[in-house]
PDB file of all heavy atoms in Angstrom:
ATOM      1  N   LEU A 198      85.897 114.513  84.518  1.00 92.00           N
ATOM      2  CA  LEU A 198      86.002 113.159  85.172  1.00 92.00           C
ATOM      3  C   LEU A 198      86.074 112.089  84.084  1.00 92.00           C
ATOM      4  O   LEU A 198      86.879 111.065  84.383  1.00 92.00           O
ATOM      5  CB  LEU A 198      84.612 112.958  86.011  1.00 92.00           C
ATOM      6  CG  LEU A 198      84.506 113.902  87.288  1.00 92.00           C
ATOM      7  CD1 LEU A 198      83.090 113.649  87.876  1.00 92.00           C
ATOM      8  CD2 LEU A 198      85.536 113.640  88.186  1.00 92.00           C
ATOM      9  N   GLU A 199      85.472 112.208  82.911  1.00 94.00           N
ATOM     10  CA  GLU A 199      85.635 111.073  81.914  1.00 94.00           C
ATOM     11  C   GLU A 199      86.918 111.076  81.450  1.00 94.00           C
ATOM     12  O   GLU A 199      87.470 109.980  81.134  1.00 94.00           O
ATOM     13  CB  GLU A 199      84.618 111.436  80.856  1.00 94.00           C
ATOM     14  CG  GLU A 199      83.078 111.221  81.294  1.00 94.00           C
ATOM     15  CD  GLU A 199      82.128 111.616  80.128  1.00 94.00           C
ATOM     16  OE1 GLU A 199      82.649 112.131  79.109  1.00 94.00           O
ATOM     17  OE2 GLU A 199      80.997 111.370  80.297  1.00 94.00           O
ATOM     18  N   GLU A 200      87.596 112.245  81.217  1.00 93.00           N
ATOM     19  CA  GLU A 200      88.981 112.233  80.739  1.00 93.00           C
ATOM     20  C   GLU A 200      89.902 111.579  81.681  1.00 93.00           C
ATOM     21  O   GLU A 200      90.821 110.903  81.292  1.00 93.00           O
ATOM     22  CB  GLU A 200      89.360 113.639  80.430  1.00 93.00           C
ATOM     23  CG  GLU A 200      90.724 113.822  79.751  1.00 93.00           C
ATOM     24  CD  GLU A 200      91.128 115.189  79.511  1.00 93.00           C
ATOM     25  OE1 GLU A 200      90.280 116.090  79.643  1.00 93.00           O
ATOM     26  OE2 GLU A 200      92.226 115.470  78.964  1.00 93.00           O
ATOM     27  N   ALA A 201      89.757 111.920  82.941  1.00 91.00           N
ATOM     28  CA  ALA A 201      90.538 111.371  84.005  1.00 91.00           C
ATOM     29  C   ALA A 201      90.355 109.882  84.144  1.00 91.00           C
ATOM     30  O   ALA A 201      91.303 109.109  84.344  1.00 91.00           O
ATOM     31  CB  ALA A 201      90.266 111.993  85.380  1.00 91.00           C
ATOM     32  N   ALA A 202      89.164 109.425  83.971  1.00 91.00           N
ATOM     33  CA  ALA A 202      88.864 107.970  83.914  1.00 91.00           C
ATOM     34  C   ALA A 202      89.536 107.344  82.850  1.00 91.00           C
ATOM     35  O   ALA A 202      90.135 106.118  82.968  1.00 91.00           O
ATOM     36  CB  ALA A 202      87.412 107.698  83.954  1.00 91.00           C
ATOM     37  N   VAL A 203      89.580 107.732  81.625  1.00 92.00           N
ATOM     38  CA  VAL A 203      90.229 107.279  80.510  1.00 92.00           C
ATOM     39  C   VAL A 203      91.700 107.165  80.751  1.00 92.00           C
ATOM     40  O   VAL A 203      92.352 106.123  80.485  1.00 92.00           O
ATOM     41  CB  VAL A 203      89.953 108.004  79.247  1.00 92.00           C
ATOM     42  CG1 VAL A 203      90.664 107.503  78.022  1.00 92.00           C
ATOM     43  CG2 VAL A 203      88.385 107.904  78.914  1.00 92.00           C
ATOM     44  N   ASN A 204      92.341 108.220  81.222  1.00 90.00           N
ATOM     45  CA  ASN A 204      93.865 108.271  81.432  1.00 90.00           C
ATOM     46  C   ASN A 204      94.287 107.248  82.536  1.00 90.00           C
ATOM     47  O   ASN A 204      95.208 106.568  82.354  1.00 90.00           O
ATOM     48  CB  ASN A 204      94.213 109.652  81.838  1.00 90.00           C
ATOM     49  CG  ASN A 204      94.049 110.679  80.825  1.00 90.00           C
ATOM     50  OD1 ASN A 204      94.072 110.338  79.475  1.00 90.00           O
ATOM     51  ND2 ASN A 204      93.896 111.971  81.081  1.00 90.00           N
ATOM     52  N   ASP A 205      93.364 107.145  83.562  1.00 90.00           N
ATOM     53  CA  ASP A 205      93.689 106.166  84.587  1.00 90.00           C
ATOM     54  C   ASP A 205      93.525 104.726  84.089  1.00 90.00           C
ATOM     55  O   ASP A 205      94.349 103.954  84.415  1.00 90.00           O
ATOM     56  CB  ASP A 205      92.670 106.357  85.811  1.00 90.00           C
ATOM     57  CG  ASP A 205      92.849 107.736  86.508  1.00 90.00           C
ATOM     58  OD1 ASP A 205      93.902 108.329  86.166  1.00 90.00           O
ATOM     59  OD2 ASP A 205      92.016 108.144  87.287  1.00 90.00           O
ATOM     60  N   GLY A 206      92.539 104.496  83.125  1.00 90.00           N
ATOM     61  CA  GLY A 206      92.311 103.208  82.596  1.00 90.00           C
ATOM     62  C   GLY A 206      93.646 102.785  81.795  1.00 90.00           C
ATOM     63  O   GLY A 206      94.084 101.613  81.824  1.00 90.00           O
ATOM     64  N   ILE A 207      94.135 103.771  80.978  1.00 91.00           N
ATOM     65  CA  ILE A 207      95.249 103.462  80.170  1.00 91.00           C
ATOM     66  C   ILE A 207      96.460 103.078  81.015  1.00 91.00           C
ATOM     67  O   ILE A 207      97.242 102.220  80.797  1.00 91.00           O
ATOM     68  CB  ILE A 207      95.617 104.676  79.292  1.00 91.00           C
ATOM     69  CG1 ILE A 207      94.462 104.871  78.229  1.00 91.00           C
ATOM     70  CG2 ILE A 207      96.902 104.495  78.494  1.00 91.00           C
ATOM     71  CD1 ILE A 207      94.568 106.065  77.289  1.00 91.00           C
ATOM     72  N   LEU A 208      96.654 103.960  82.161  1.00 88.00           N
ATOM     73  CA  LEU A 208      97.867 103.753  83.033  1.00 88.00           C
ATOM     74  C   LEU A 208      97.695 102.346  83.765  1.00 88.00           C
ATOM     75  O   LEU A 208      98.656 101.653  83.887  1.00 88.00           O
ATOM     76  CB  LEU A 208      97.903 104.864  84.044  1.00 88.00           C
ATOM     77  CG  LEU A 208      99.065 104.870  85.051  1.00 88.00           C
ATOM     78  CD1 LEU A 208     100.343 104.857  84.270  1.00 88.00           C
ATOM     79  CD2 LEU A 208      98.924 105.953  85.936  1.00 88.00           C
ATOM     80  N   LEU A 209      96.580 102.013  84.150  1.00 90.00           N
ATOM     81  CA  LEU A 209      96.320 100.837  84.923  1.00 90.00           C
ATOM     82  C   LEU A 209      96.600  99.574  83.961  1.00 90.00           C
ATOM     83  O   LEU A 209      97.155  98.557  84.406  1.00 90.00           O
ATOM     84  CB  LEU A 209      95.001 100.690  85.568  1.00 90.00           C
ATOM     85  CG  LEU A 209      94.737 101.745  86.711  1.00 90.00           C
ATOM     86  CD1 LEU A 209      93.259 101.622  87.215  1.00 90.00           C
ATOM     87  CD2 LEU A 209      95.608 101.397  87.863  1.00 90.00           C
ATOM     88  N   SER A 210      96.008  99.612  82.712  1.00 90.00           N
ATOM     89  CA  SER A 210      96.257  98.546  81.822  1.00 90.00           C
ATOM     90  C   SER A 210      97.714  98.432  81.425  1.00 90.00           C
ATOM     91  O   SER A 210      98.232  97.321  81.227  1.00 90.00           O
ATOM     92  CB  SER A 210      95.432  98.753  80.619  1.00 90.00           C
ATOM     93  OG  SER A 210      95.795 100.060  79.905  1.00 90.00           O
ATOM     94  N   LYS A 211      98.468  99.553  81.280  1.00 88.00           N
ATOM     95  CA  LYS A 211      99.873  99.474  80.980  1.00 88.00           C
ATOM     96  C   LYS A 211     100.721  98.918  82.106  1.00 88.00           C
ATOM     97  O   LYS A 211     101.724  98.139  81.870  1.00 88.00           O
ATOM     98  CB  LYS A 211     100.271 100.913  80.644  1.00 88.00           C
ATOM     99  CG  LYS A 211     101.874 101.000  80.213  1.00 88.00           C
ATOM    100  CD  LYS A 211     102.206 102.334  79.884  1.00 88.00           C
ATOM    101  CE  LYS A 211     103.670 102.467  79.462  1.00 88.00           C
ATOM    102  NZ  LYS A 211     104.104 103.918  79.186  1.00 88.00           N
TER     103      LYS A 211
END
Side-chain angles (χ1 to χ4, degrees):
L198 294 176
E199 291 177 353
E200 184 178 358
V203 172
N204 295 334
D205 294 347
I207 295 174
L208 181 59
L209 292 175
S210 61
K211 182 179 179 180

